[in-house]
Amino acid sequence: MEKLILYGGNRLTGEVSVSGAKNAILPILAATVIGGNESTIFNVPKLRDVEVMEEILIALGCNIKRVDNMMWVDSKPLNQIKIPDELAREMRSSIILMGAMLSRCGEVIISYPGGCEIGPRPIDMHLKALKDLGAEIEESHGFIYSKGKELKGTEIQLDYPSVGATENIILAAIKAKGTTIIRNAAREPEIVDLQNYLNKAGAKINGAGTSIVIIEGVDQLENVTYNTMPDRIVAGTYMIASAITKGEIILKNVIIDHLQGVIAKLKEAGCLIYSDENSLKIIGPEKINSIEMVQTLPYPGFPTDMQAQIMALLSIANGTSIISETVFENRFKHVEELIRMGANIKTFGKVAIIKGVKELTGAKTTAKDLRGGASLVLAGLAAKGKTEIENIYHIKRGYENFHNTLRELGAHIELVK
Ligand code: UD1
């Protein structure tokens, strides 16, 4: 089994061009099935999750060509309504194919989705909203059968601004009769990217990025060319790689606005950050300041997908920090691994108290999920001696060429097969 081996202590310096966003391209790829049209998409990252979505689209009958970071999808030949089991279970975002396939075929069969084990992650809001749009949904033996030949626009009030549920509703409503209004919609930038892609293809969506999204049903979509937004979580992870190694990293291809929550906390930790239109330089401090409180929240709050990484940084801060995870139930699996490396962290439900230690020491660790795995890499960059990280398939779900990029920045890291 592949593992990562790191020897910590090197200062990282240099430039990284940030790849396209995993959480933007996945719903966009789901959206490609709706129109029976051709989509040419640029800035598509090479990640396991993207490959899974590509395999699902091929299994449904789509034609796909991939050249470097360009993907061309022709969804005209789509002729299946069942999402293959093993692929649906590998990735939780497969659930957004429900909305897209209802738009396209009026019918879809999918097994309960998988993904990171970070809490119960129910899909009740997705199912309720699709029913409100007129879909009939039956659940049996681990499968969800949905039918809805004629979805009708309606008003949907979400109990919580769920990213996936907002995307699923948008996808289902694209060709529905009339207008759909989503209230308390998630405001994440990836939803704006989905709106931009779909509107470029001829959809009529307004309001993405605010808590009210309005979708007017259209009859058809046109061929479209689109450029995926940069990955704000990948950018944030490299920012912490710089912060934790007293480094100096320049990030190209970033949208500064998307990073404000992370920038504010890293400044509190003592980092110097300079930015212009779409690049950013971050200089790590000699001594990392503790942070009184990091609370994860829906966008524009501090992202839950950066919680594990900032915890790695705070584990060697000067003083005690508190992290409150409000988005997911069970997102502290990296804590026991960081403790193996000498961190002093205690958790109480959704709160973690991190007492900064002088230094971390290398240890044998296991990635338990995607961002938790990234936090172990970051900890290993700063730790004294050798760190081993197993189960790195989790990390490959979200970081393109991670170890090579870190090595180019000066890290002592290798992938062992
Ligand atoms: C997306 C992101 C993920 C990120 C998360 C929050 C993708 C592919 N994944 O996940 O990286 O961590 O947003 O920013 O874009 N919930 C329910 N019922 C539902 C749906 C969600 O209770 O029907 C709960 C979840 O269990 C969780 C919270 O709502 O506690 C937020 O989940 P949601 O915003 O839906 O996250 P995802 O779309 O799964």
Side-chain angles (χ1 to χ4, degrees), residues 83-133:
I83 316 295
D85 252 21
E86 60 293 352
L87 294 172
R89 266 191 250 121
E90 194 175 330
M91 185 179 63
R92 184 182 148 82
S93 335
S94 53
I95 193 70
I96 47 177
L97 279 156
M98 275 184 81
M101 286 293 285
L102 280 171
S103 273
R104 171 68 188 270
C105 308
E107 201 171 351
V108 56
I109 305 171
I110 185 168
S111 62
Y112 267 94
C116 281
E117 296 280 320
I118 52 178
R121 304 188 96 183
I123 50 168
D124 53 330
M125 282 190 270
H126 297 244
L127 301 185
K128 183 170 179 296
L130 294 176
K131 282 182 192 160
D132 288 349
L133 282 160

Side-chain angles (χ1 to χ4, degrees), residues 159-180:
D159 291 338
Y160 182 87
S162 154
V163 176
T166 304
E167 292 166 348
N168 228 340
I169 300 166
I170 292 175
L171 295 170
I174 292 299
K175 288 173 42 185
K177 288 267 165 298
T179 305
T180 300

Side-chain angles (χ1 to χ4, degrees), residues 180-194:
T180 300
I181 301 176
I182 313 172
R183 297 185 202 282
N184 198 23
R187 291 179 287 162
E188 269 64 5
E190 291 76 11
I191 293 170
V192 180
D193 218 40
L194 178 63

Side-chain angles (χ1 to χ4, degrees), residues 28-147:
I28 289 175
L29 286 177
T32 62
V33 306
I34 297 174
N37 55 340
E38 292 176 28
S39 302
T40 308
I41 308 166
F42 292 94
N43 215 14
V44 178
K46 293 198 182 83
L47 300 171
R48 179 61 197 150
D49 273 10
V50 175
E51 263 172 42
V52 172
M53 188 58 98
E54 186 181 345
E55 286 168 26
I56 292 176
L57 297 186
I58 292 170
L60 293 173
C62 296
N63 271 335
I64 296 194
K65 284 193 193 116
R66 177 141 205 195
V67 181
D68 298 327
N69 282 344
M70 186 280 287
M71 197 184 279
W72 172 84
V73 183
D74 179 6
S75 64
K76 198 157 164 211
L78 183 141
N79 57 6
Q80 299 293 320
I81 55 153
K82 184 168 187 288
I83 316 295
D85 252 21
E86 60 293 352
L87 294 172
R89 266 191 250 121
E90 194 175 330
M91 185 179 63
R92 184 182 148 82
S93 335
S94 53
I95 193 70
I96 47 177
L97 279 156
M98 275 184 81
M101 286 293 285
L102 280 171
S103 273
R104 171 68 188 270
C105 308
E107 201 171 351
V108 56
I109 305 171
I110 185 168
S111 62
Y112 267 94
C116 281
E117 296 280 320
I118 52 178
R121 304 188 96 183
I123 50 168
D124 53 330
M125 282 190 270
H126 297 244
L127 301 185
K128 183 170 179 296
L130 294 176
K131 282 182 192 160
D132 288 349
L133 282 160
E136 286 169 26
I137 298 181
E138 271 181 38
E139 301 169 59
S140 79
H141 304 289
F143 285 94
I144 310 169
Y145 299 81
S146 318
K147 267 194 188 165

